[in-house]
Amino acid sequence: LFRSFASWGIDYLKLDGVGSFDIPDIQAWSRALRQTGRRIHLELSSALDIGDAATWKQYANGWRTGGDIECYTCAAAGRSYPLTSWADVSSRFGQVAAWQPDGGPGGFNDYDSIEVGNGRDDGLTPPERQTQLSLWALAASPLILGTDLTRLDPADLALLENRDVIAVDQDAIDADRIADTATYQIFAKTEKNGDVAVGLFNTSGGREAISVSASALGLKASPEYLVSNLWSHQRTTTAGTVSAEVAAHGVALLRVVPRGSGLAWASEPGRRCHGGRMRISLGDVSLWFDVSGPSVIPQGDTTVERPVVVAVHGGPGLDHMTVKSALGPLAEDIQVVYFDLRGHGRSDRSRAEFW
């Protein structure tokens, strides 16, 4: 059976209806899957006991922390909609905080499916949809759609395709809850490049002004911080207080970077720096890079550096792909670094006062 799974190219296998009473069976499934020689993600469901978190981490790659997020009592007669409710989504705040120490690379806390994609039938307001995606991203939870893919709503699809939000999810770092009040919650995590991703969540029924200090976020001292809103794509600066006016049940999902830190870069999740796409923070903008070829190669018992060429494209409206097709073959002998100029391709425009 397990060899068949591998031969079929299966990447993800979920065992439903299991719990602490099934640990011997889970151990057997885990061993059998590993013996196939194929990396198959083993997911456990549902409402796993947090007291056995060490066991889930030992034998599985993901585990459901609670019951289903679908609202089975919300649907009208004869319909499957709405899919969920604010009560079901907001119940995950406590789970994310409690399970935070147990998630990480290779073993992920799973807060159940994303119920964003079918517009009003989601059962969530637009701000609530951003809240679900933001909380899951900060918690590095699997992003698995529980919606009807044949009826995707254009506005919801734009939310789902937000690369900046997906990047927060894909860093495999679980955010800490640093504030929990009657009207708002704050979750934050420091990424490997020193950026801080923070979610200011308004759990109240009206607009709320939410703020937090840079020091509370774990940011190093700096005369100024660049604050990027990952949903609105607006950028502001602050001397030390990160704040936002947040809609009812909504979120301000922000990336905060000390501006006095000079250059800071990070490769995209799943990419290696010697052959993939990167972003570099330069002052108030984030520039898009693409790299072809390794910078060093083995030579006998040591390694040697190869020449590096930086390719700069020309004129307005162009991006680095205009030169990559011509220079790409050079990567056999050298490393080629391409980048999109400010305001072109995937690089930021910057604000006029910084031009």
Side-chain angles (χ1 to χ4, degrees):
L1 174 63
F2 297 97
R3 286 194 296 271
S4 295
F5 288 159
S7 68
W8 295 337
I10 287 177
D11 297 313
Y12 179 98
L13 189 145
K14 178 178 178 180
L15 293 181
D16 204 356
V18 297
S20 299
F21 46 85
D22 293 309
I23 288 176
D25 289 339
I26 293 168
Q27 291 172 328
W29 276 84
S30 178
R31 283 194 299 267
L33 289 173
R34 290 172 182 174
Q35 288 171 2
T36 66
R38 180 179 179 81
R39 294 182 61 181
I40 299 176
H41 179 108
L42 177 60
E43 187 78 9
L44 306 179
S45 179
S46 63
L48 276 295
D49 187 343
I50 196 171
D52 289 318
T55 299
W56 315 139
K57 292 165 67 174
Q58 182 178 358
Y59 295 110
N61 306 109
W63 41 85
R64 283 272 304 279
T65 62
D68 294 348
I69 198 167
E70 289 83 5
C71 182
Y72 298 116
T73 61
C74 296
R79 299 187 77 241
S80 300
Y81 303 102
L83 296 170
T84 190
S85 69
W86 169 246
D88 290 287
V89 170
S90 61
S91 70
R92 264 49 181 186
F93 284 112
Q95 292 180 29
V96 170
W99 283 84
Q100 183 274 336
D102 302 305
F108 301 94
N109 296 317
D110 184 352
Y111 300 105
D112 205 6
S113 55
I114 295 293
E115 302 304 317
V116 176
N118 296 147
R120 292 182 178 179
D121 285 339
D122 297 341
L124 303 172
T125 66
E128 290 168 354
R129 297 169 208 173
Q130 291 184 351
T131 285
Q132 189 192 10
L133 285 165
S134 299
L135 184 61
W136 267 237
L138 285 163
S141 179
L143 301 179
I144 301 175
L145 292 184
T147 50
D148 185 348
L149 298 182
T150 68
R151 300 176 56 249
L152 287 178
D153 174 78
D156 279 7
L157 183 59
L159 298 179
L160 296 170
E161 291 181 332
N162 186 315
R163 289 176 176 267
D164 293 332
V165 176
I166 294 172
V168 173
D169 177 83
Q170 295 295 293
D171 62 15
I173 300 171
D174 289 55
D176 287 296
R177 182 164 63 183
I178 62 174
D180 179 15
T181 77
T183 58
Y184 69 85
Q185 298 194 33
I186 300 175
F187 286 80
K189 60 181 173 181
T190 302
E191 298 189 327
K192 292 179 180 179
N193 66 347
D195 292 3
V196 169
V198 55
L200 309 179
F201 294 93
N202 179 6
T203 55
S204 77
R207 290 190 67 83
E208 184 87 8
I210 306 174
S211 62
V212 61
S213 67
S215 60
L217 295 175
L219 284 157
K220 66 180 182 180
S222 174
E224 193 173 49
Y225 300 89
L226 177 65
V227 182
S228 302
N229 188 309
L230 303 187
W231 287 116
S232 69
H233 305 295
Q234 294 180 336
R235 285 179 170 80
T236 58
T237 57
T238 177
T241 299
V242 177
S243 61
E245 286 276 343
V246 185
H249 298 174
V251 62
L253 182 62
L254 311 171
R255 181 177 295 277
V256 187
V257 183
R259 287 198 65 188
S261 61
L263 300 180
W265 64 268
S267 60
E268 278 203 314
R271 298 284 185 173
R272 293 185 178 142
C273 298
H274 67 245
R277 292 166 289 176
M278 300 178 283
R279 284 189 178 275
I280 185 168
S281 296
L282 180 60
D284 64 310
V285 298
S286 176
L287 301 181
W288 178 265
F289 272 71
D290 200 347
V291 180
S292 296
S295 60
V296 296
I297 57 173
Q299 190 173 87
D301 296 329
T302 186
T303 58
V304 295
E305 292 188 359
R306 302 203 308 170
V308 179
V309 171
V310 178
V312 182
H313 68 74
L318 301 177
D319 62 25
H320 74 271
M321 294 304 295
T322 59
V323 295
K324 186 174 183 180
S325 58
L327 299 182
L330 295 179
E332 294 293 327
D333 302 300
I334 63 175
Q335 184 179 62
V336 187
V337 179
Y338 315 87
F339 72 95
D340 290 345
L341 297 174
R342 181 178 61 188
H344 300 277
R346 298 190 185 186
S347 290
D348 297 341
R349 284 188 54 83
S350 177
R351 289 186 287 164
E353 57 264 37
F354 294 119
W355 292 356

